[in-house]
Amino acid sequence: MELSHRTKRKIEIGRHYPLGAQATVEGVNFALYSQHAREVYLLLFDTPDGEPTDITPLKHCTRHIWHCFVPELAAGQLYGY
């Protein structure tokens, strides 16, 4: 699969902590540690066996932690990196 930016969602910088996917009432913060990654993509899915509905490159990295915040996303969202 070719990874290229494909989303209509607003993506914000987010925080580099806590690690993982942290759901809030405003949306979900994603933070992934990788000391050697040169790029990371967040993929959102509607079904476990389907194609990604959104592909977003994480553009912000703080202390080897790639991060972003996706407003209006809810707990239970299927995702991968």
Coordinates of all heavy atoms in Angstrom, one line a residue:
M1 N 0.8 -1.2 0.0 CA 0.0 0.0 0.0 C 0.9 1.2 0.0 O 1.8 1.3 0.8 CB -0.9 0.0 1.2 CG -1.7 1.3 1.4 SD -2.5 1.5 3.0 CE -3.4 0.0 3.1
E2 N 0.6 2.2 -0.9 CA 1.3 3.4 -0.9 C 0.7 4.4 0.2 O -0.5 4.5 0.3 CB 1.2 4.1 -2.3 CG 1.9 5.4 -2.3 CD 1.8 6.1 -3.7 OE1 1.6 5.3 -4.7 OE2 1.8 7.3 -3.7
L3 N 1.6 4.9 1.0 CA 1.1 5.8 2.1 C 1.3 7.2 1.6 O 2.4 7.7 1.4 CB 1.9 5.5 3.4 CG 1.7 4.2 4.0 CD1 2.6 4.1 5.2 CD2 0.3 4.0 4.4
S4 N 0.2 7.9 1.5 CA 0.2 9.3 1.2 C -1.0 9.9 1.9 O -2.0 9.3 2.2 CB 0.1 9.6 -0.3 OG -1.1 9.0 -0.8
H5 N -0.8 11.2 2.3 CA -1.8 11.9 3.1 C -3.2 11.8 2.4 O -3.3 12.1 1.2 CB -1.4 13.4 3.2 CG -2.4 14.2 4.0 ND1 -2.4 14.1 5.4 CD2 -3.3 15.1 3.7 CE1 -3.3 14.9 5.8 NE2 -3.9 15.5 4.8
R6 N -4.2 11.3 3.2 CA -5.5 11.2 2.7 C -6.5 11.4 3.8 O -6.8 10.4 4.5 CB -5.7 9.9 2.0 CG -7.1 9.7 1.3 CD -7.2 8.4 0.6 NE -7.5 7.4 1.6 CZ -7.0 6.1 1.5 NH1 -6.3 5.8 0.5 NH2 -7.3 5.3 2.5
T7 N -7.0 12.6 4.1 CA -8.0 12.8 5.1 C -8.6 14.1 4.9 O -8.0 15.0 4.4 CB -7.4 12.7 6.6 OG1 -8.4 12.8 7.5 CG2 -6.4 13.8 6.8
K8 N -9.9 14.2 5.4 CA -10.6 15.5 5.4 C -10.7 16.0 6.9 O -11.2 17.1 7.1 CB -12.0 15.4 4.8 CG -11.9 15.0 3.3 CD -13.3 14.9 2.8 CE -13.2 14.6 1.3 NZ -14.5 14.4 0.7
R9 N -10.1 15.2 7.8 CA -10.2 15.6 9.2 C -9.1 16.7 9.5 O -8.1 16.8 8.9 CB -9.8 14.4 10.1 CG -10.8 13.3 10.0 CD -10.4 12.2 10.9 NE -11.3 11.0 10.7 CZ -12.4 10.8 11.4 NH1 -12.8 11.7 12.3 NH2 -13.1 9.8 11.2
K10 N -9.4 17.5 10.5 CA -8.5 18.5 11.0 C -7.5 17.8 11.9 O -7.9 17.0 12.8 CB -9.2 19.6 11.8 CG -8.3 20.6 12.3 CD -9.1 21.7 13.1 CE -8.2 22.7 13.7 NZ -8.9 23.6 14.6
I11 N -6.2 17.9 11.7 CA -5.2 17.3 12.5 C -4.4 18.4 13.2 O -3.9 19.3 12.6 CB -4.2 16.5 11.6 CG1 -5.0 15.5 10.7 CG2 -3.2 15.8 12.5 CD1 -5.8 14.4 11.5
E12 N -4.3 18.3 14.5 CA -3.6 19.3 15.3 C -2.3 18.7 15.8 O -2.1 17.5 15.7 CB -4.5 19.7 16.5 CG -5.7 20.4 16.0 CD -6.6 20.8 17.1 OE1 -6.3 20.6 18.3 OE2 -7.7 21.3 16.8
I13 N -1.4 19.5 16.4 CA -0.1 19.1 16.9 C -0.2 18.0 17.9 O 0.5 17.0 17.9 CB 0.7 20.3 17.4 CG1 1.0 21.2 16.3 CG2 2.0 19.8 18.1 CD1 1.6 22.5 16.8
G14 N -1.1 18.2 18.9 CA -1.2 17.2 20.0 C 0.0 17.3 21.0 O 0.8 18.2 20.9
R15 N 0.0 16.3 21.9 CA 1.1 16.3 22.9 C 1.9 15.0 22.8 O 1.4 14.0 22.3 CB 0.4 16.3 24.3 CG -0.4 17.5 24.6 CD -1.0 17.5 26.0 NE -1.5 16.2 26.4 CZ -2.8 15.7 26.2 NH1 -3.6 16.5 25.7 NH2 -3.1 14.5 26.6
H16 N 3.1 15.1 23.3 CA 4.0 13.9 23.2 C 3.8 13.0 24.4 O 4.5 12.0 24.6 CB 5.5 14.3 23.1 CG 6.0 15.0 24.3 ND1 5.8 16.3 24.5 CD2 6.8 14.6 25.3 CE1 6.4 16.7 25.6 NE2 7.1 15.6 26.1
Y17 N 2.9 13.3 25.3 CA 2.6 12.4 26.4 C 1.1 12.5 26.7 O 0.4 13.5 26.3 CB 3.3 12.9 27.7 CG 2.9 14.3 28.1 CD1 1.8 14.5 29.0 CD2 3.5 15.5 27.6 CE1 1.4 15.8 29.4 CE2 3.0 16.7 27.9 CZ 2.0 16.9 28.8 OH 1.6 18.1 29.2
P18 N 0.5 11.5 27.3 CA 1.0 10.1 27.5 C 1.2 9.4 26.2 O 0.5 9.7 25.2 CB 0.0 9.5 28.5 CG -1.3 10.2 28.1 CD -0.9 11.6 27.7
L19 N 2.0 8.3 26.2 CA 2.1 7.5 25.1 C 0.8 6.7 24.8 O 0.1 6.4 25.7 CB 3.3 6.5 25.2 CG 4.7 7.1 25.3 CD1 5.7 6.0 25.6 CD2 5.0 7.8 24.0
G20 N 0.6 6.4 23.5 CA -0.6 5.6 23.1 C -1.7 6.6 22.6 O -1.4 7.7 22.3
A21 N -2.9 6.0 22.5 CA -4.0 6.8 22.1 C -4.8 7.2 23.3 O -5.3 6.3 24.1 CB -4.9 6.0 21.2
Q22 N -4.9 8.5 23.6 CA -5.6 9.0 24.8 C -6.9 9.7 24.3 O -6.8 10.8 23.8 CB -4.7 9.9 25.5 CG -5.2 10.5 26.8 CD -5.3 9.5 27.9 OE1 -4.5 8.6 27.9 NE2 -6.3 9.6 28.7
A23 N -8.0 9.1 24.6 CA -9.3 9.8 24.2 C -9.7 10.8 25.3 O -9.6 10.6 26.5 CB -10.4 8.7 24.1
T24 N -10.2 11.9 24.8 CA -10.8 13.0 25.7 C -12.2 13.3 25.1 O -12.6 12.8 24.1 CB -9.9 14.2 25.7 OG1 -9.9 14.8 24.4 CG2 -8.5 13.9 26.1
V25 N -12.9 14.2 25.7 CA -14.2 14.6 25.2 C -14.0 15.4 23.9 O -14.9 15.5 23.1 CB -15.0 15.4 26.3 CG1 -15.3 14.6 27.4 CG2 -14.2 16.7 26.7
E26 N -12.8 16.0 23.7 CA -12.6 16.8 22.5 C -12.1 16.0 21.3 O -12.2 16.4 20.2 CB -11.5 17.9 22.8 CG -12.0 19.0 23.7 CD -11.7 18.6 25.2 OE1 -10.8 17.7 25.4 OE2 -12.3 19.2 26.1
G27 N -11.5 14.8 21.6 CA -10.9 14.0 20.5 C -9.9 13.0 21.0 O -10.0 12.6 22.2
V28 N -9.0 12.6 20.2 CA -8.0 11.6 20.6 C -6.6 12.1 20.3 O -6.3 12.6 19.2 CB -8.2 10.3 19.9 CG1 -7.1 9.2 20.3 CG2 -9.6 9.7 20.1
N29 N -5.7 12.0 21.3 CA -4.3 12.3 21.2 C -3.5 11.0 20.9 O -3.7 10.0 21.6 CB -3.7 13.0 22.4 CG -2.3 13.6 22.2 OD1 -2.2 14.6 21.6 ND2 -1.3 12.9 22.7
F30 N -2.7 11.0 19.9 CA -1.8 9.9 19.5 C -0.4 10.2 19.8 O 0.1 11.3 19.4 CB -2.0 9.5 18.1 CG -3.4 9.0 17.7 CD1 -4.4 9.9 17.3 CD2 -3.7 7.7 17.9 CE1 -5.7 9.4 17.0 CE2 -5.0 7.2 17.6 CZ -6.0 8.1 17.1
A31 N 0.3 9.3 20.5 CA 1.8 9.5 20.7 C 2.5 8.2 20.7 O 2.1 7.2 21.3 CB 2.0 10.2 22.1
L32 N 3.5 8.1 19.8 CA 4.2 6.9 19.5 C 5.7 7.2 19.6 O 6.3 8.0 18.9 CB 3.9 6.4 18.1 CG 4.7 5.2 17.6 CD1 4.2 3.9 18.3 CD2 4.6 5.1 16.1
Y33 N 6.4 6.4 20.4 CA 7.9 6.5 20.6 C 8.6 5.7 19.5 O 8.3 4.6 19.3 CB 8.3 6.0 22.0 CG 9.8 6.0 22.1 CD1 10.5 7.2 22.6 CD2 10.6 5.0 21.8 CE1 11.8 7.3 22.7 CE2 12.0 5.0 21.9 CZ 12.6 6.2 22.4 OH 14.0 6.3 22.5
S34 N 9.5 6.4 18.8 CA 10.4 5.7 17.9 C 11.7 6.5 17.8 O 11.6 7.6 17.2 CB 9.8 5.5 16.6 OG 10.7 4.8 15.7
Q35 N 12.8 6.0 18.3 CA 14.0 6.8 18.2 C 14.6 6.9 16.8 O 15.3 7.8 16.5 CB 15.1 6.1 19.2 CG 16.4 6.9 19.2 CD 17.3 6.3 20.3 OE1 16.9 5.4 21.0 NE2 18.5 6.9 20.3
H36 N 14.3 5.9 16.0 CA 15.0 5.8 14.7 C 14.0 6.1 13.5 O 14.5 6.1 12.3 CB 15.6 4.4 14.5 CG 16.6 4.2 15.6 ND1 17.8 4.8 15.6 CD2 16.6 3.3 16.6 CE1 18.5 4.4 16.7 NE2 17.8 3.5 17.3
A37 N 12.7 6.3 13.7 CA 11.8 6.5 12.6 C 12.1 7.8 11.9 O 12.5 8.8 12.5 CB 10.4 6.5 13.1
R38 N 12.0 7.8 10.6 CA 12.2 9.0 9.8 C 10.8 9.6 9.4 O 10.7 10.8 9.1 CB 13.0 8.8 8.6 CG 14.4 8.4 9.0 CD 15.3 8.3 7.8 NE 16.6 8.0 8.2 CZ 17.6 7.9 7.4 NH1 17.5 8.2 6.1 NH2 18.8 7.6 7.8
E39 N 9.8 8.8 9.5 CA 8.4 9.2 9.3 C 7.5 8.2 9.9 O 7.8 7.0 10.0 CB 8.1 9.5 7.8 CG 8.3 8.2 6.9 CD 8.0 8.5 5.4 OE1 7.7 9.7 5.1 OE2 8.1 7.6 4.7
V40 N 6.3 8.7 10.3 CA 5.3 7.8 10.8 C 4.0 8.3 10.3 O 3.7 9.5 10.1 CB 5.3 7.9 12.4 CG1 4.1 7.2 13.0 CG2 6.6 7.4 13.0
Y41 N 3.1 7.3 9.9 CA 1.8 7.6 9.4 C 0.7 7.0 10.4 O 0.9 5.9 10.9 CB 1.5 7.0 8.0 CG 2.3 7.7 6.9 CD1 3.6 7.4 6.7 CD2 1.6 8.6 6.2 CE1 4.3 8.1 5.7 CE2 2.3 9.3 5.1 CZ 3.6 9.0 4.9 OH 4.3 9.6 3.9
L42 N -0.3 7.8 10.6 CA -1.5 7.3 11.4 C -2.5 6.9 10.4 O -2.9 7.7 9.5 CB -2.0 8.4 12.3 CG -3.3 8.2 13.0 CD1 -3.1 7.0 14.1 CD2 -3.8 9.4 13.7
L43 N -3.0 5.7 10.6 CA -4.1 5.1 9.7 C -5.3 4.9 10.5 O -5.2 4.3 11.6 CB -3.6 3.8 9.0 CG -2.6 3.9 7.9 CD1 -1.2 4.2 8.5 CD2 -2.6 2.6 7.1
L44 N -6.5 5.4 10.1 CA -7.7 5.2 10.7 C -8.6 4.3 9.9 O -8.6 4.4 8.7 CB -8.5 6.5 10.9 CG -7.7 7.6 11.7 CD1 -8.5 8.9 11.8 CD2 -7.3 7.1 13.1
F45 N -9.3 3.4 10.6 CA -10.1 2.3 9.9 C -11.5 2.3 10.4 O -11.7 2.6 11.6 CB -9.5 0.9 10.2 CG -8.1 0.7 9.7 CD1 -7.0 1.1 10.4 CD2 -7.9 0.2 8.4 CE1 -5.7 0.9 10.0 CE2 -6.6 0.0 7.9 CZ -5.5 0.4 8.7
D46 N -12.5 2.0 9.6 CA -13.9 1.8 10.0 C -14.2 0.4 10.4 O -15.0 0.1 11.2 CB -14.8 2.3 8.9 CG -14.9 3.8 8.8 OD1 -14.5 4.5 9.7 OD2 -15.4 4.3 7.7
T47 N -13.4 -0.5 9.8 CA -13.6 -2.0 10.0 C -12.2 -2.6 10.2 O -11.3 -2.2 9.6 CB -14.4 -2.7 8.9 OG1 -13.6 -2.6 7.7 CG2 -15.8 -2.1 8.7
P48 N -12.2 -3.7 11.0 CA -10.9 -4.3 11.3 C -10.2 -4.9 10.0 O -9.0 -4.9 9.9 CB -11.2 -5.5 12.2 CG -12.5 -5.1 12.8 CD -13.2 -4.3 11.8
D49 N -11.0 -5.3 9.0 CA -10.4 -5.9 7.8 C -10.5 -5.0 6.6 O -10.2 -5.4 5.5 CB -11.0 -7.2 7.5 CG -12.5 -7.1 7.4 OD1 -13.1 -6.1 7.7 OD2 -13.2 -8.1 6.9
G50 N -10.9 -3.7 6.8 CA -11.0 -2.8 5.6 C -9.8 -2.0 5.4 O -8.8 -2.0 6.1
E51 N -9.9 -1.2 4.3 CA -8.8 -0.3 4.0 C -8.9 0.9 4.9 O -10.0 1.2 5.4 CB -9.0 0.2 2.5 CG -8.8 -0.9 1.5 CD -7.3 -1.3 1.4 OE1 -6.4 -0.4 1.4 OE2 -7.0 -2.5 1.3
P52 N -7.8 1.6 5.1 CA -7.9 2.8 5.9 C -8.7 3.9 5.3 O -8.7 4.1 4.1 CB -6.4 3.3 6.0 CG -5.7 2.6 4.9 CD -6.4 1.4 4.6
T53 N -9.5 4.6 6.1 CA -10.4 5.7 5.7 C -9.6 7.0 5.7 O -9.9 7.9 4.9 CB -11.6 5.8 6.6 OG1 -11.2 6.0 7.9 CG2 -12.5 4.6 6.4
D54 N -8.6 7.0 6.5 CA -7.8 8.2 6.6 C -6.3 7.8 6.8 O -6.0 6.9 7.5 CB -8.2 9.1 7.9 CG -9.6 9.6 7.8 OD1 -10.5 8.8 8.2 OD2 -9.8 10.7 7.4
I55 N -5.4 8.6 6.1 CA -4.0 8.3 6.3 C -3.4 9.7 6.5 O -3.5 10.6 5.7 CB -3.4 7.7 5.0 CG1 -4.0 6.4 4.7 CG2 -1.8 7.6 5.1 CD1 -3.6 5.8 3.4
T56 N -2.7 9.8 7.7 CA -2.1 11.1 8.1 C -0.7 11.0 8.5 O -0.4 10.2 9.4 CB -2.9 11.7 9.2 OG1 -4.3 11.8 8.9 CG2 -2.4 13.0 9.7
P57 N 0.3 11.7 7.8 CA 1.6 11.7 8.3 C 1.7 12.5 9.6 O 1.2 13.5 9.7 CB 2.4 12.3 7.2 CG 1.4 13.2 6.5 CD 0.1 12.5 6.7
L58 N 2.4 11.9 10.6 CA 2.7 12.6 11.8 C 3.8 13.6 11.6 O 4.9 13.1 11.3 CB 2.9 11.7 13.0 CG 1.8 10.7 13.3 CD1 2.2 9.9 14.6 CD2 0.5 11.4 13.5
K59 N 3.6 14.8 11.7 CA 4.6 15.8 11.4 C 5.4 16.4 12.5 O 6.4 17.1 12.4 CB 4.0 17.0 10.6 CG 3.3 16.6 9.3 CD 2.7 17.7 8.6 CE 2.1 17.2 7.3 NZ 1.5 18.3 6.5
H60 N 4.9 16.0 13.7 CA 5.5 16.6 14.9 C 6.2 15.5 15.8 O 5.6 14.4 16.0 CB 4.5 17.3 15.8 CG 3.8 18.4 15.0 ND1 4.4 19.6 14.8 CD2 2.6 18.4 14.3 CE1 3.6 20.4 14.0 NE2 2.5 19.6 13.7
C61 N 7.4 15.7 16.2 CA 8.2 14.7 16.9 C 8.9 15.5 18.0 O 9.7 16.4 17.8 CB 9.2 14.0 16.0 SG 10.0 12.7 16.8
T62 N 8.7 15.1 19.3 CA 9.3 15.7 20.5 C 9.9 14.6 21.3 O 9.3 13.6 21.7 CB 8.2 16.4 21.3 OG1 7.5 17.3 20.5 CG2 8.8 17.1 22.5
R63 N 11.2 14.7 21.5 CA 12.0 13.7 22.2 C 11.7 12.2 21.7 O 11.5 11.3 22.5 CB 11.6 13.8 23.7 CG 11.9 15.1 24.3 CD 11.6 15.1 25.8 NE 11.6 16.5 26.3 CZ 10.7 17.0 27.1 NH1 9.8 16.3 27.6 NH2 10.8 18.3 27.4
H64 N 11.8 12.1 20.4 CA 11.6 10.8 19.7 C 10.2 10.3 19.8 O 9.9 9.1 19.6 CB 12.6 9.7 20.3 CG 14.0 10.1 20.2 ND1 14.7 10.3 19.1 CD2 14.9 10.3 21.2 CE1 15.9 10.7 19.3 NE2 16.1 10.6 20.6
I65 N 9.2 11.1 20.2 CA 7.8 10.8 20.3 C 7.0 11.5 19.2 O 7.0 12.7 19.2 CB 7.2 11.0 21.7 CG1 8.0 10.2 22.7 CG2 5.8 10.7 21.7 CD1 7.7 10.6 24.1
W66 N 6.5 10.8 18.3 CA 5.7 11.3 17.2 C 4.3 11.5 17.7 O 3.7 10.6 18.4 CB 5.7 10.3 16.0 CG 7.0 10.2 15.4 CD1 8.0 9.3 15.9 CD2 7.6 10.8 14.3 NE1 9.1 9.4 15.1 CE2 8.9 10.3 14.1 CE3 7.1 11.8 13.4 CZ2 9.7 10.8 13.1 CZ3 7.9 12.2 12.4 CH2 9.2 11.7 12.2
H67 N 3.6 12.6 17.4 CA 2.3 12.9 18.0 C 1.4 13.8 17.2 O 1.9 14.5 16.3 CB 2.5 13.6 19.4 CG 3.4 14.8 19.4 ND1 2.9 16.0 19.2 CD2 4.7 14.9 19.5 CE1 3.9 16.9 19.3 NE2 5.0 16.2 19.5
C68 N 0.1 13.6 17.4 CA -0.9 14.5 16.8 C -2.2 14.3 17.6 O -2.3 13.4 18.4 CB -1.1 14.1 15.4 SG -2.1 12.6 15.1
F69 N -3.1 15.3 17.4 CA -4.4 15.2 18.0 C -5.5 15.3 16.9 O -5.3 16.2 16.0 CB -4.6 16.4 19.0 CG -5.9 16.4 19.7 CD1 -6.1 15.6 20.8 CD2 -6.9 17.3 19.3 CE1 -7.4 15.6 21.4 CE2 -8.1 17.3 19.9 CZ -8.4 16.4 21.0
V70 N -6.4 14.4 17.0 CA -7.5 14.4 16.0 C -8.8 14.8 16.7 O -9.4 14.0 17.5 CB -7.7 13.0 15.3 CG1 -8.7 13.1 14.2 CG2 -6.3 12.6 14.8
P71 N -9.3 16.1 16.5 CA -10.5 16.5 17.2 C -11.7 15.7 16.7 O -11.7 15.2 15.5 CB -10.7 17.9 16.7 CG -9.3 18.4 16.2 CD -8.7 17.1 15.7
E72 N -12.7 15.5 17.6 CA -14.0 14.9 17.3 C -13.8 13.4 17.0 O -14.8 12.7 16.6 CB -14.7 15.6 16.1 CG -15.0 17.0 16.4 CD -15.7 17.7 15.2 OE1 -16.0 17.0 14.3 OE2 -15.8 18.9 15.3
L73 N -12.7 12.8 17.2 CA -12.5 11.3 17.2 C -12.9 10.8 18.5 O -12.7 11.4 19.5 CB -11.1 11.0 16.8 CG -10.8 9.7 16.1 CD1 -11.5 9.7 14.7 CD2 -9.3 9.6 15.9
A74 N -13.5 9.6 18.5 CA -14.0 9.0 19.8 C -13.2 7.7 20.2 O -12.6 7.1 19.4 CB -15.5 8.7 19.7
A75 N -13.4 7.4 21.5 CA -12.8 6.1 22.0 C -13.4 5.0 21.2 O -14.5 5.0 20.8 CB -13.1 6.0 23.4
G76 N -12.6 4.0 20.9 CA -13.0 2.8 20.1 C -12.6 2.9 18.6 O -12.8 2.0 17.9
Q77 N -12.1 4.1 18.2 CA -11.6 4.2 16.8 C -10.5 3.2 16.5 O -9.6 3.1 17.3 CB -11.1 5.6 16.6 CG -10.5 5.9 15.2 CD -11.5 5.8 14.1 OE1 -12.5 6.4 14.1 NE2 -11.2 5.0 13.1
L78 N -10.7 2.5 15.4 CA -9.6 1.6 15.0 C -8.5 2.4 14.3 O -8.8 3.3 13.5 CB -10.2 0.6 14.0 CG -11.3 -0.3 14.6 CD1 -11.9 -1.1 13.4 CD2 -10.9 -1.2 15.7
Y79 N -7.3 2.0 14.7 CA -6.1 2.8 14.1 C -4.9 1.9 14.0 O -4.8 0.8 14.7 CB -5.8 4.0 14.9 CG -5.2 3.7 16.3 CD1 -3.8 3.7 16.5 CD2 -6.0 3.5 17.4 CE1 -3.3 3.5 17.7 CE2 -5.5 3.2 18.6 CZ -4.1 3.2 18.8 OH -3.6 2.9 20.0
G80 N -3.9 2.3 13.3 CA -2.6 1.7 13.2 C -1.6 2.7 12.8 O -1.9 3.8 12.4
Y81 N -0.3 2.3 12.9 CA 0.8 3.2 12.5 C 1.5 2.6 11.3 O 1.6 1.4 11.2 CB 1.7 3.5 13.6 CG 1.2 4.2 14.8 CD1 0.8 3.5 16.0 CD2 0.9 5.6 14.7 CE1 0.3 4.2 17.1 CE2 0.4 6.2 15.8 CZ 0.1 5.6 17.0 OH -0.5 6.2 18.0

